[in-house]
Amino acid sequence: MRRPSARVNAALAALDRAELRKTPQRIAVVHALVDDTSHPTAQQIFDRLRRQMPTMSFATVYNTLAALERAGVCRSLRLSHDDSARFDPMVEPHDHAVCDRCGRVLDVPRARERAEIQEFRVRAVERVYRGECQQCQSIGGS
Amino acid sequence: MRRPSARVNAALAALDRAELRKTPQRIAVVHALVDDTSHPTAQQIFDRLRRQMPTMSFATVYNTLAALERAGVCRSLRLSHDDSARFDPMVEPHDHAVCDRCGRVLDVPRARERAEIQEFRVRAVERVYRGECQQCQSIGGS
DNA sequence: ATGATGGTTTAGAATCATTCTTGGTTACAA
DNA sequence: TTGTAACCAAGAATGATTCTAAACCATCAT
Ligand SMILES: [Mn+2]
Ligand SMILES: [Mn+2]
Ligand SMILES: [Zn+2]
Ligand SMILES: [Zn+2]
């Protein structure tokens, strides 16, 4: 049992804020995810956790990741057509570089321009704007 | 039977180039998709086509869309977590604005900057770079 | 014509990620 | 203690997509 990292503490505090109980399952998922920059899938997280916690259910991994996402501790990404959802503990806005060949997902800080991604040979860029269309703005609401 | 549009002709020529037969099913899918800016799902295309061609199978819609994508006539988009794949007849590079509320998908030409999307209230931008990571570059290959 | 070949379609089964359901467990308060 | 609500495990269900097997159809050689 090592001293919990700053990120782990921040994540557990966010659970508190969201009024979610700090159960052993959730704490385990937080530990598995919070310092992982590889953007793992739910399956990969499940595979890691079942060693330490063999009773953990796959559904609990999904439920917990959804809870953590609601609490602002992580976010989920759908980056490719075939691939399944990936989970990202870095919630500050940033972009991603996806390798065509090995599927690796790299973080790209917003500061960098496309041409400055040194290590990555860029073939194409995709941009998605999220927000409200004109029709929905005029309807109003929350 | 109206005079085929320029886009339809271009799409059928692309089928030729890709050495894919111009079957009635493929021609029907081309007609249904090629002037549609709404980024429809496979289900929506299937629903439209079954009126004119009641024997058309859902699998054929998927197969045909995959063939058209290989031929460079359209591309498929996975824009939201819950939603299914959407198909886009505009193959020139461009971006997309997705409405949080109604799910509408709007085209955003590359010329425009984020702030210039007049009709759309932008909440967030997501960028994905596609290409080759450093490891895969050093391995080399095709 | 006849038959072989190969691409295409159909219908339904299979797959696979994700979500749902059910019944039991835990935390915690009255 | 008893009650209540959150939580979890296990497996079933869902839904999009892909696969399979058999039928279909155009083309080509006999
Ligand atoms: Mn990331
Ligand atoms: Mn588009
Ligand atoms: Zn790579
Ligand atoms: Zn809208």
Side-chain angles (χ1 to χ4, degrees), chain A residues 125-129, chain B residues 7 37 39 75 88 90-97 105-120 122 125:
Chain A
V125 191
E126 295 164 13
R127 259 173 292 249
V128 177
Y129 300 92
Chain B
R7 286 173 192 276
T37 61
H39 306 85
R75 59 171 165 151
D88 190 339
M90 190 183 288
V91 290
E92 301 79 40
H94 66 282
D95 301 318
H96 293 99
V105 178
L106 304 172
D107 288 316
V108 180
R110 280 286 158 87
R112 299 198 184 183
E113 284 297 312
R114 165 184 172 173
E116 295 177 35
I117 307 174
Q118 302 295 349
E119 331 75 33
F120 197 86
V122 176
V125 190

PDB file of all heavy atoms in Angstrom, chain A residues 125-129, chain B residues 7 37 39 75 88 90-97 105-120 122 125:
ATOM      1  N   VAL A 125      -6.656  15.302 -40.280  1.00  0.00           N
ATOM      2  CA  VAL A 125      -7.203  15.858 -39.040  1.00  0.00           C
ATOM      3  C   VAL A 125      -8.718  15.786 -39.121  1.00  0.00           C
ATOM      4  O   VAL A 125      -9.303  16.040 -40.177  1.00  0.00           O
ATOM      5  CB  VAL A 125      -6.790  17.326 -38.843  1.00  0.00           C
ATOM      6  CG1 VAL A 125      -7.144  17.798 -37.444  1.00  0.00           C
ATOM      7  CG2 VAL A 125      -5.317  17.512 -39.115  1.00  0.00           C
ATOM      8  N   GLU A 126      -9.354  15.440 -38.010  1.00  0.00           N
ATOM      9  CA  GLU A 126     -10.809  15.486 -37.931  1.00  0.00           C
ATOM     10  C   GLU A 126     -11.179  16.398 -36.774  1.00  0.00           C
ATOM     11  O   GLU A 126     -10.639  16.276 -35.687  1.00  0.00           O
ATOM     12  CB  GLU A 126     -11.380  14.087 -37.675  1.00  0.00           C
ATOM     13  CG  GLU A 126     -11.134  13.114 -38.809  1.00  0.00           C
ATOM     14  CD  GLU A 126     -11.368  11.667 -38.368  1.00  0.00           C
ATOM     15  OE1 GLU A 126     -11.944  11.454 -37.284  1.00  0.00           O
ATOM     16  OE2 GLU A 126     -10.947  10.768 -39.110  1.00  0.00           O
ATOM     17  N   ARG A 127     -12.113  17.292 -37.038  1.00  0.00           N
ATOM     18  CA  ARG A 127     -12.558  18.216 -35.995  1.00  0.00           C
ATOM     19  C   ARG A 127     -14.048  18.039 -35.789  1.00  0.00           C
ATOM     20  O   ARG A 127     -14.807  17.949 -36.762  1.00  0.00           O
ATOM     21  CB  ARG A 127     -12.299  19.655 -36.409  1.00  0.00           C
ATOM     22  CG  ARG A 127     -11.081  20.285 -35.793  1.00  0.00           C
ATOM     23  CD  ARG A 127     -10.852  21.636 -36.410  1.00  0.00           C
ATOM     24  NE  ARG A 127     -10.459  21.464 -37.811  1.00  0.00           N
ATOM     25  CZ  ARG A 127      -9.224  21.734 -38.266  1.00  0.00           C
ATOM     26  NH1 ARG A 127      -8.328  22.213 -37.459  1.00  0.00           N
ATOM     27  NH2 ARG A 127      -8.934  21.530 -39.533  1.00  0.00           N
ATOM     28  N   VAL A 128     -14.465  17.985 -34.550  1.00  0.00           N
ATOM     29  CA  VAL A 128     -15.893  17.927 -34.240  1.00  0.00           C
ATOM     30  C   VAL A 128     -16.217  19.051 -33.273  1.00  0.00           C
ATOM     31  O   VAL A 128     -15.593  19.167 -32.216  1.00  0.00           O
ATOM     32  CB  VAL A 128     -16.284  16.569 -33.620  1.00  0.00           C
ATOM     33  CG1 VAL A 128     -17.763  16.567 -33.237  1.00  0.00           C
ATOM     34  CG2 VAL A 128     -15.991  15.436 -34.587  1.00  0.00           C
ATOM     35  N   TYR A 129     -17.165  19.889 -33.676  1.00  0.00           N
ATOM     36  CA  TYR A 129     -17.650  20.950 -32.807  1.00  0.00           C
ATOM     37  C   TYR A 129     -18.898  20.442 -32.106  1.00  0.00           C
ATOM     38  O   TYR A 129     -19.812  19.911 -32.755  1.00  0.00           O
ATOM     39  CB  TYR A 129     -17.979  22.197 -33.626  1.00  0.00           C
ATOM     40  CG  TYR A 129     -16.796  22.751 -34.377  1.00  0.00           C
ATOM     41  CD1 TYR A 129     -16.528  22.360 -35.682  1.00  0.00           C
ATOM     42  CD2 TYR A 129     -15.927  23.649 -33.767  1.00  0.00           C
ATOM     43  CE1 TYR A 129     -15.435  22.849 -36.375  1.00  0.00           C
ATOM     44  CE2 TYR A 129     -14.825  24.135 -34.448  1.00  0.00           C
ATOM     45  CZ  TYR A 129     -14.588  23.744 -35.744  1.00  0.00           C
ATOM     46  OH  TYR A 129     -13.495  24.225 -36.419  1.00  0.00           O
TER      47      TYR A 129
ATOM     48  N   ARG B   7     -23.442  14.470 -59.374  1.00  0.00           N
ATOM     49  CA  ARG B   7     -22.870  13.670 -58.282  1.00  0.00           C
ATOM     50  C   ARG B   7     -23.129  12.182 -58.483  1.00  0.00           C
ATOM     51  O   ARG B   7     -22.272  11.346 -58.218  1.00  0.00           O
ATOM     52  CB  ARG B   7     -23.473  14.108 -56.946  1.00  0.00           C
ATOM     53  CG  ARG B   7     -22.948  15.430 -56.449  1.00  0.00           C
ATOM     54  CD  ARG B   7     -23.743  15.863 -55.214  1.00  0.00           C
ATOM     55  NE  ARG B   7     -23.478  17.235 -54.850  1.00  0.00           N
ATOM     56  CZ  ARG B   7     -22.449  17.613 -54.100  1.00  0.00           C
ATOM     57  NH1 ARG B   7     -21.605  16.709 -53.638  1.00  0.00           N
ATOM     58  NH2 ARG B   7     -22.281  18.887 -53.804  1.00  0.00           N
ATOM     59  N   THR B  37     -27.359  15.746 -47.337  1.00  0.00           N
ATOM     60  CA  THR B  37     -26.384  16.412 -46.465  1.00  0.00           C
ATOM     61  C   THR B  37     -26.657  16.142 -44.989  1.00  0.00           C
ATOM     62  O   THR B  37     -26.025  16.743 -44.126  1.00  0.00           O
ATOM     63  CB  THR B  37     -26.411  17.934 -46.689  1.00  0.00           C
ATOM     64  OG1 THR B  37     -27.717  18.411 -46.360  1.00  0.00           O
ATOM     65  CG2 THR B  37     -26.090  18.280 -48.133  1.00  0.00           C
ATOM     66  N   HIS B  39     -26.190  13.369 -43.243  1.00  0.00           N
ATOM     67  CA  HIS B  39     -25.368  12.330 -42.614  1.00  0.00           C
ATOM     68  C   HIS B  39     -26.240  11.225 -42.032  1.00  0.00           C
ATOM     69  O   HIS B  39     -26.243  10.991 -40.824  1.00  0.00           O
ATOM     70  CB  HIS B  39     -24.456  12.931 -41.544  1.00  0.00           C
ATOM     71  CG  HIS B  39     -23.617  14.054 -42.041  1.00  0.00           C
ATOM     72  ND1 HIS B  39     -24.073  15.343 -42.085  1.00  0.00           N
ATOM     73  CD2 HIS B  39     -22.360  14.082 -42.536  1.00  0.00           C
ATOM     74  CE1 HIS B  39     -23.122  16.117 -42.585  1.00  0.00           C
ATOM     75  NE2 HIS B  39     -22.093  15.392 -42.874  1.00  0.00           N
ATOM     76  N   ARG B  75     -17.884   8.467 -46.947  1.00  0.00           N
ATOM     77  CA  ARG B  75     -17.121   8.009 -45.788  1.00  0.00           C
ATOM     78  C   ARG B  75     -18.053   7.870 -44.597  1.00  0.00           C
ATOM     79  O   ARG B  75     -19.122   8.467 -44.572  1.00  0.00           O
ATOM     80  CB  ARG B  75     -15.967   8.953 -45.478  1.00  0.00           C
ATOM     81  CG  ARG B  75     -16.390  10.366 -45.199  1.00  0.00           C
ATOM     82  CD  ARG B  75     -15.174  11.140 -44.687  1.00  0.00           C
ATOM     83  NE  ARG B  75     -15.380  12.569 -44.709  1.00  0.00           N
ATOM     84  CZ  ARG B  75     -14.778  13.391 -43.842  1.00  0.00           C
ATOM     85  NH1 ARG B  75     -13.984  12.924 -42.917  1.00  0.00           N
ATOM     86  NH2 ARG B  75     -14.991  14.697 -43.925  1.00  0.00           N
ATOM     87  N   ASP B  88     -21.501   9.889 -45.093  1.00  0.00           N
ATOM     88  CA  ASP B  88     -21.320  11.243 -45.596  1.00  0.00           C
ATOM     89  C   ASP B  88     -20.845  11.185 -47.045  1.00  0.00           C
ATOM     90  O   ASP B  88     -19.772  10.664 -47.336  1.00  0.00           O
ATOM     91  CB  ASP B  88     -20.264  11.935 -44.724  1.00  0.00           C
ATOM     92  CG  ASP B  88     -20.169  13.422 -45.014  1.00  0.00           C
ATOM     93  OD1 ASP B  88     -20.583  13.845 -46.098  1.00  0.00           O
ATOM     94  OD2 ASP B  88     -19.658  14.152 -44.146  1.00  0.00           O
ATOM     95  N   MET B  90     -19.956  13.619 -48.828  1.00  0.00           N
ATOM     96  CA  MET B  90     -18.965  14.652 -49.142  1.00  0.00           C
ATOM     97  C   MET B  90     -17.599  14.150 -48.697  1.00  0.00           C
ATOM     98  O   MET B  90     -17.325  14.061 -47.494  1.00  0.00           O
ATOM     99  CB  MET B  90     -19.329  15.957 -48.431  1.00  0.00           C
ATOM    100  CG  MET B  90     -18.498  17.143 -48.901  1.00  0.00           C
ATOM    101  SD  MET B  90     -18.906  18.645 -47.984  1.00  0.00           S
ATOM    102  CE  MET B  90     -20.533  19.008 -48.659  1.00  0.00           C
ATOM    103  N   VAL B  91     -16.765  13.801 -49.657  1.00  0.00           N
ATOM    104  CA  VAL B  91     -15.494  13.170 -49.321  1.00  0.00           C
ATOM    105  C   VAL B  91     -14.349  14.168 -49.224  1.00  0.00           C
ATOM    106  O   VAL B  91     -13.277  13.821 -48.737  1.00  0.00           O
ATOM    107  CB  VAL B  91     -15.144  12.057 -50.333  1.00  0.00           C
ATOM    108  CG1 VAL B  91     -16.080  10.875 -50.158  1.00  0.00           C
ATOM    109  CG2 VAL B  91     -15.183  12.582 -51.750  1.00  0.00           C
ATOM    110  N   GLU B  92     -14.556  15.398 -49.686  1.00  0.00           N
ATOM    111  CA  GLU B  92     -13.523  16.399 -49.512  1.00  0.00           C
ATOM    112  C   GLU B  92     -13.376  16.674 -48.013  1.00  0.00           C
ATOM    113  O   GLU B  92     -14.357  16.671 -47.279  1.00  0.00           O
ATOM    114  CB  GLU B  92     -13.895  17.701 -50.231  1.00  0.00           C
ATOM    115  CG  GLU B  92     -14.131  17.564 -51.726  1.00  0.00           C
ATOM    116  CD  GLU B  92     -15.520  16.994 -52.034  1.00  0.00           C
ATOM    117  OE1 GLU B  92     -16.490  17.382 -51.356  1.00  0.00           O
ATOM    118  OE2 GLU B  92     -15.613  16.130 -52.926  1.00  0.00           O
ATOM    119  N   PRO B  93     -12.133  16.940 -47.547  1.00  0.00           N
ATOM    120  CA  PRO B  93     -11.925  17.155 -46.114  1.00  0.00           C
ATOM    121  C   PRO B  93     -12.786  18.299 -45.576  1.00  0.00           C
ATOM    122  O   PRO B  93     -12.797  19.390 -46.142  1.00  0.00           O
ATOM    123  CB  PRO B  93     -10.433  17.510 -46.023  1.00  0.00           C
ATOM    124  CG  PRO B  93      -9.819  16.928 -47.239  1.00  0.00           C
ATOM    125  CD  PRO B  93     -10.869  16.993 -48.310  1.00  0.00           C
ATOM    126  N   HIS B  94     -13.521  18.025 -44.529  1.00  0.00           N
ATOM    127  CA  HIS B  94     -14.304  19.064 -43.865  1.00  0.00           C
ATOM    128  C   HIS B  94     -14.607  18.586 -42.459  1.00  0.00           C
ATOM    129  O   HIS B  94     -14.386  17.418 -42.127  1.00  0.00           O
ATOM    130  CB  HIS B  94     -15.580  19.368 -44.646  1.00  0.00           C
ATOM    131  CG  HIS B  94     -16.550  18.233 -44.687  1.00  0.00           C
ATOM    132  ND1 HIS B  94     -16.384  17.156 -45.527  1.00  0.00           N
ATOM    133  CD2 HIS B  94     -17.686  18.001 -43.997  1.00  0.00           C
ATOM    134  CE1 HIS B  94     -17.389  16.307 -45.354  1.00  0.00           C
ATOM    135  NE2 HIS B  94     -18.186  16.793 -44.421  1.00  0.00           N
ATOM    136  N   ASP B  95     -15.117  19.495 -41.641  1.00  0.00           N
ATOM    137  CA  ASP B  95     -15.369  19.175 -40.250  1.00  0.00           C
ATOM    138  C   ASP B  95     -16.869  19.112 -39.982  1.00  0.00           C
ATOM    139  O   ASP B  95     -17.676  19.334 -40.884  1.00  0.00           O
ATOM    140  CB  ASP B  95     -14.696  20.231 -39.367  1.00  0.00           C
ATOM    141  CG  ASP B  95     -13.204  20.269 -39.616  1.00  0.00           C
ATOM    142  OD1 ASP B  95     -12.606  19.191 -39.742  1.00  0.00           O
ATOM    143  OD2 ASP B  95     -12.645  21.384 -39.711  1.00  0.00           O
ATOM    144  N   HIS B  96     -17.226  18.794 -38.730  1.00  0.00           N
ATOM    145  CA  HIS B  96     -18.632  18.598 -38.405  1.00  0.00           C
ATOM    146  C   HIS B  96     -18.993  19.260 -37.093  1.00  0.00           C
ATOM    147  O   HIS B  96     -18.193  19.303 -36.172  1.00  0.00           O
ATOM    148  CB  HIS B  96     -18.957  17.104 -38.344  1.00  0.00           C
ATOM    149  CG  HIS B  96     -18.863  16.450 -39.677  1.00  0.00           C
ATOM    150  ND1 HIS B  96     -17.765  15.732 -40.078  1.00  0.00           N
ATOM    151  CD2 HIS B  96     -19.718  16.451 -40.741  1.00  0.00           C
ATOM    152  CE1 HIS B  96     -17.947  15.305 -41.321  1.00  0.00           C
ATOM    153  NE2 HIS B  96     -19.110  15.725 -41.753  1.00  0.00           N
ATOM    154  N   ALA B  97     -20.223  19.784 -37.077  1.00  0.00           N
ATOM    155  CA  ALA B  97     -20.783  20.323 -35.844  1.00  0.00           C
ATOM    156  C   ALA B  97     -21.957  19.442 -35.449  1.00  0.00           C
ATOM    157  O   ALA B  97     -22.855  19.206 -36.256  1.00  0.00           O
ATOM    158  CB  ALA B  97     -21.237  21.771 -36.058  1.00  0.00           C
ATOM    159  N   VAL B 105     -26.210  16.793 -37.523  1.00  0.00           N
ATOM    160  CA  VAL B 105     -24.803  16.894 -37.904  1.00  0.00           C
ATOM    161  C   VAL B 105     -24.678  17.870 -39.063  1.00  0.00           C
ATOM    162  O   VAL B 105     -25.241  17.635 -40.135  1.00  0.00           O
ATOM    163  CB  VAL B 105     -24.236  15.518 -38.305  1.00  0.00           C
ATOM    164  CG1 VAL B 105     -22.792  15.645 -38.752  1.00  0.00           C
ATOM    165  CG2 VAL B 105     -24.354  14.531 -37.155  1.00  0.00           C
ATOM    166  N   LEU B 106     -23.942  18.953 -38.836  1.00  0.00           N
ATOM    167  CA  LEU B 106     -23.775  19.978 -39.867  1.00  0.00           C
ATOM    168  C   LEU B 106     -22.360  19.932 -40.422  1.00  0.00           C
ATOM    169  O   LEU B 106     -21.408  19.660 -39.687  1.00  0.00           O
ATOM    170  CB  LEU B 106     -24.036  21.365 -39.262  1.00  0.00           C
ATOM    171  CG  LEU B 106     -25.386  21.536 -38.579  1.00  0.00           C
ATOM    172  CD1 LEU B 106     -25.433  22.882 -37.860  1.00  0.00           C
ATOM    173  CD2 LEU B 106     -26.518  21.438 -39.601  1.00  0.00           C
ATOM    174  N   ASP B 107     -22.245  20.224 -41.715  1.00  0.00           N
ATOM    175  CA  ASP B 107     -20.924  20.316 -42.327  1.00  0.00           C
ATOM    176  C   ASP B 107     -20.285  21.651 -42.007  1.00  0.00           C
ATOM    177  O   ASP B 107     -20.955  22.689 -42.022  1.00  0.00           O
ATOM    178  CB  ASP B 107     -21.050  20.157 -43.842  1.00  0.00           C
ATOM    179  CG  ASP B 107     -21.367  18.724 -44.224  1.00  0.00           C
ATOM    180  OD1 ASP B 107     -20.738  17.818 -43.646  1.00  0.00           O
ATOM    181  OD2 ASP B 107     -22.240  18.526 -45.084  1.00  0.00           O
ATOM    182  N   VAL B 108     -18.985  21.636 -41.719  1.00  0.00           N
ATOM    183  CA  VAL B 108     -18.228  22.860 -41.472  1.00  0.00           C
ATOM    184  C   VAL B 108     -17.048  22.870 -42.431  1.00  0.00           C
ATOM    185  O   VAL B 108     -16.106  22.096 -42.257  1.00  0.00           O
ATOM    186  CB  VAL B 108     -17.722  22.928 -40.019  1.00  0.00           C
ATOM    187  CG1 VAL B 108     -16.938  24.208 -39.797  1.00  0.00           C
ATOM    188  CG2 VAL B 108     -18.876  22.822 -39.041  1.00  0.00           C
ATOM    189  N   PRO B 109     -17.090  23.712 -43.450  1.00  0.00           N
ATOM    190  CA  PRO B 109     -15.976  23.758 -44.402  1.00  0.00           C
ATOM    191  C   PRO B 109     -14.682  24.147 -43.708  1.00  0.00           C
ATOM    192  O   PRO B 109     -14.689  24.888 -42.725  1.00  0.00           O
ATOM    193  CB  PRO B 109     -16.404  24.839 -45.406  1.00  0.00           C
ATOM    194  CG  PRO B 109     -17.875  24.986 -45.224  1.00  0.00           C
ATOM    195  CD  PRO B 109     -18.155  24.661 -43.801  1.00  0.00           C
ATOM    196  N   ARG B 110     -13.575  23.640 -44.225  1.00  0.00           N
ATOM    197  CA  ARG B 110     -12.283  23.893 -43.607  1.00  0.00           C
ATOM    198  C   ARG B 110     -11.915  25.377 -43.607  1.00  0.00           C
ATOM    199  O   ARG B 110     -11.149  25.832 -42.771  1.00  0.00           O
ATOM    200  CB  ARG B 110     -11.193  23.111 -44.344  1.00  0.00           C
ATOM    201  CG  ARG B 110     -11.103  21.667 -43.955  1.00  0.00           C
ATOM    202  CD  ARG B 110     -10.481  21.496 -42.590  1.00  0.00           C
ATOM    203  NE  ARG B 110     -10.845  20.217 -41.978  1.00  0.00           N
ATOM    204  CZ  ARG B 110     -10.194  19.080 -42.150  1.00  0.00           C
ATOM    205  NH1 ARG B 110      -9.139  19.033 -42.916  1.00  0.00           N
ATOM    206  NH2 ARG B 110     -10.596  17.990 -41.558  1.00  0.00           N
ATOM    207  N   ALA B 111     -12.453  26.115 -44.556  1.00  0.00           N
ATOM    208  CA  ALA B 111     -12.125  27.531 -44.649  1.00  0.00           C
ATOM    209  C   ALA B 111     -12.520  28.271 -43.362  1.00  0.00           C
ATOM    210  O   ALA B 111     -11.795  29.138 -42.880  1.00  0.00           O
ATOM    211  CB  ALA B 111     -12.809  28.162 -45.851  1.00  0.00           C
ATOM    212  N   ARG B 112     -13.666  27.887 -42.800  1.00  0.00           N
ATOM    213  CA  ARG B 112     -14.178  28.627 -41.647  1.00  0.00           C
ATOM    214  C   ARG B 112     -13.388  28.344 -40.383  1.00  0.00           C
ATOM    215  O   ARG B 112     -12.963  27.229 -40.136  1.00  0.00           O
ATOM    216  CB  ARG B 112     -15.634  28.235 -41.380  1.00  0.00           C
ATOM    217  CG  ARG B 112     -16.531  28.558 -42.525  1.00  0.00           C
ATOM    218  CD  ARG B 112     -17.936  28.563 -42.019  1.00  0.00           C
ATOM    219  NE  ARG B 112     -18.867  28.775 -43.114  1.00  0.00           N
ATOM    220  CZ  ARG B 112     -20.173  28.875 -42.953  1.00  0.00           C
ATOM    221  NH1 ARG B 112     -20.702  28.773 -41.750  1.00  0.00           N
ATOM    222  NH2 ARG B 112     -20.955  29.075 -43.983  1.00  0.00           N
ATOM    223  N   GLU B 113     -13.254  29.338 -39.566  1.00  0.00           N
ATOM    224  CA  GLU B 113     -12.676  29.152 -38.252  1.00  0.00           C
ATOM    225  C   GLU B 113     -13.791  28.819 -37.277  1.00  0.00           C
ATOM    226  O   GLU B 113     -14.972  29.037 -37.540  1.00  0.00           O
ATOM    227  CB  GLU B 113     -11.969  30.435 -37.797  1.00  0.00           C
ATOM    228  CG  GLU B 113     -10.640  30.657 -38.464  1.00  0.00           C
ATOM    229  CD  GLU B 113      -9.635  29.567 -38.139  1.00  0.00           C
ATOM    230  OE1 GLU B 113      -9.485  29.218 -36.969  1.00  0.00           O
ATOM    231  OE2 GLU B 113      -9.006  29.061 -39.091  1.00  0.00           O
ATOM    232  N   ARG B 114     -13.371  28.303 -36.154  1.00  0.00           N
ATOM    233  CA  ARG B 114     -14.340  27.917 -35.142  1.00  0.00           C
ATOM    234  C   ARG B 114     -15.309  29.040 -34.814  1.00  0.00           C
ATOM    235  O   ARG B 114     -16.502  28.852 -34.741  1.00  0.00           O
ATOM    236  CB  ARG B 114     -13.580  27.522 -33.879  1.00  0.00           C
ATOM    237  CG  ARG B 114     -14.460  27.450 -32.677  1.00  0.00           C
ATOM    238  CD  ARG B 114     -13.647  27.158 -31.444  1.00  0.00           C
ATOM    239  NE  ARG B 114     -14.493  27.293 -30.269  1.00  0.00           N
ATOM    240  CZ  ARG B 114     -14.134  26.985 -29.035  1.00  0.00           C
ATOM    241  NH1 ARG B 114     -12.952  26.505 -28.830  1.00  0.00           N
ATOM    242  NH2 ARG B 114     -14.961  27.147 -28.029  1.00  0.00           N
ATOM    243  N   ALA B 115     -14.779  30.238 -34.628  1.00  0.00           N
ATOM    244  CA  ALA B 115     -15.613  31.359 -34.193  1.00  0.00           C
ATOM    245  C   ALA B 115     -16.588  31.799 -35.278  1.00  0.00           C
ATOM    246  O   ALA B 115     -17.564  32.478 -35.005  1.00  0.00           O
ATOM    247  CB  ALA B 115     -14.729  32.541 -33.801  1.00  0.00           C
ATOM    248  N   GLU B 116     -16.313  31.359 -36.510  1.00  0.00           N
ATOM    249  CA  GLU B 116     -17.137  31.813 -37.616  1.00  0.00           C
ATOM    250  C   GLU B 116     -18.349  30.927 -37.894  1.00  0.00           C
ATOM    251  O   GLU B 116     -19.078  31.147 -38.845  1.00  0.00           O
ATOM    252  CB  GLU B 116     -16.293  31.898 -38.891  1.00  0.00           C
ATOM    253  CG  GLU B 116     -15.199  32.943 -38.817  1.00  0.00           C
ATOM    254  CD  GLU B 116     -14.356  32.939 -40.082  1.00  0.00           C
ATOM    255  OE1 GLU B 116     -14.904  32.698 -41.162  1.00  0.00           O
ATOM    256  OE2 GLU B 116     -13.144  33.162 -39.970  1.00  0.00           O
ATOM    257  N   ILE B 117     -18.515  29.887 -37.116  1.00  0.00           N
ATOM    258  CA  ILE B 117     -19.689  29.052 -37.316  1.00  0.00           C
ATOM    259  C   ILE B 117     -20.890  29.816 -36.773  1.00  0.00           C
ATOM    260  O   ILE B 117     -21.239  29.723 -35.603  1.00  0.00           O
ATOM    261  CB  ILE B 117     -19.531  27.703 -36.617  1.00  0.00           C
ATOM    262  CG1 ILE B 117     -18.232  27.046 -37.047  1.00  0.00           C
ATOM    263  CG2 ILE B 117     -20.692  26.799 -36.945  1.00  0.00           C
ATOM    264  CD1 ILE B 117     -17.927  25.777 -36.313  1.00  0.00           C
ATOM    265  N   GLN B 118     -21.502  30.554 -37.613  1.00  0.00           N
ATOM    266  CA  GLN B 118     -22.496  31.538 -37.192  1.00  0.00           C
ATOM    267  C   GLN B 118     -23.683  30.900 -36.479  1.00  0.00           C
ATOM    268  O   GLN B 118     -24.078  31.302 -35.400  1.00  0.00           O
ATOM    269  CB  GLN B 118     -23.021  32.312 -38.406  1.00  0.00           C
ATOM    270  CG  GLN B 118     -21.964  33.045 -39.198  1.00  0.00           C
ATOM    271  CD  GLN B 118     -21.284  34.160 -38.424  1.00  0.00           C
ATOM    272  OE1 GLN B 118     -21.746  34.527 -37.344  1.00  0.00           O
ATOM    273  NE2 GLN B 118     -20.197  34.671 -38.950  1.00  0.00           N
ATOM    274  N   GLU B 119     -24.233  29.886 -37.109  1.00  0.00           N
ATOM    275  CA  GLU B 119     -25.539  29.360 -36.694  1.00  0.00           C
ATOM    276  C   GLU B 119     -25.408  28.425 -35.502  1.00  0.00           C
ATOM    277  O   GLU B 119     -26.408  27.946 -34.976  1.00  0.00           O
ATOM    278  CB  GLU B 119     -26.180  28.590 -37.849  1.00  0.00           C
ATOM    279  CG  GLU B 119     -25.790  29.049 -39.241  1.00  0.00           C
ATOM    280  CD  GLU B 119     -24.382  28.608 -39.635  1.00  0.00           C
ATOM    281  OE1 GLU B 119     -23.978  27.523 -39.199  1.00  0.00           O
ATOM    282  OE2 GLU B 119     -23.707  29.353 -40.353  1.00  0.00           O
ATOM    283  N   PHE B 120     -24.201  28.129 -35.116  1.00  0.00           N
ATOM    284  CA  PHE B 120     -23.980  27.050 -34.165  1.00  0.00           C
ATOM    285  C   PHE B 120     -23.281  27.595 -32.920  1.00  0.00           C
ATOM    286  O   PHE B 120     -22.255  28.269 -33.024  1.00  0.00           O
ATOM    287  CB  PHE B 120     -23.112  25.979 -34.825  1.00  0.00           C
ATOM    288  CG  PHE B 120     -23.122  24.651 -34.130  1.00  0.00           C
ATOM    289  CD1 PHE B 120     -24.108  23.715 -34.417  1.00  0.00           C
ATOM    290  CD2 PHE B 120     -22.159  24.348 -33.197  1.00  0.00           C
ATOM    291  CE1 PHE B 120     -24.109  22.483 -33.780  1.00  0.00           C
ATOM    292  CE2 PHE B 120     -22.172  23.124 -32.549  1.00  0.00           C
ATOM    293  CZ  PHE B 120     -23.145  22.195 -32.847  1.00  0.00           C
ATOM    294  N   VAL B 122     -20.954  26.992 -30.185  1.00  0.00           N
ATOM    295  CA  VAL B 122     -19.931  25.975 -29.926  1.00  0.00           C
ATOM    296  C   VAL B 122     -19.638  25.882 -28.428  1.00  0.00           C
ATOM    297  O   VAL B 122     -19.336  26.872 -27.788  1.00  0.00           O
ATOM    298  CB  VAL B 122     -18.634  26.297 -30.690  1.00  0.00           C
ATOM    299  CG1 VAL B 122     -17.547  25.288 -30.333  1.00  0.00           C
ATOM    300  CG2 VAL B 122     -18.882  26.298 -32.188  1.00  0.00           C
ATOM    301  N   VAL B 125     -14.616  21.750 -28.733  1.00  0.00           N
ATOM    302  CA  VAL B 125     -14.044  21.235 -29.976  1.00  0.00           C
ATOM    303  C   VAL B 125     -13.253  19.980 -29.649  1.00  0.00           C
ATOM    304  O   VAL B 125     -12.567  19.920 -28.625  1.00  0.00           O
ATOM    305  CB  VAL B 125     -13.094  22.261 -30.634  1.00  0.00           C
ATOM    306  CG1 VAL B 125     -12.714  21.812 -32.038  1.00  0.00           C
ATOM    307  CG2 VAL B 125     -13.713  23.628 -30.658  1.00  0.00           C
TER     308      VAL B 125
END
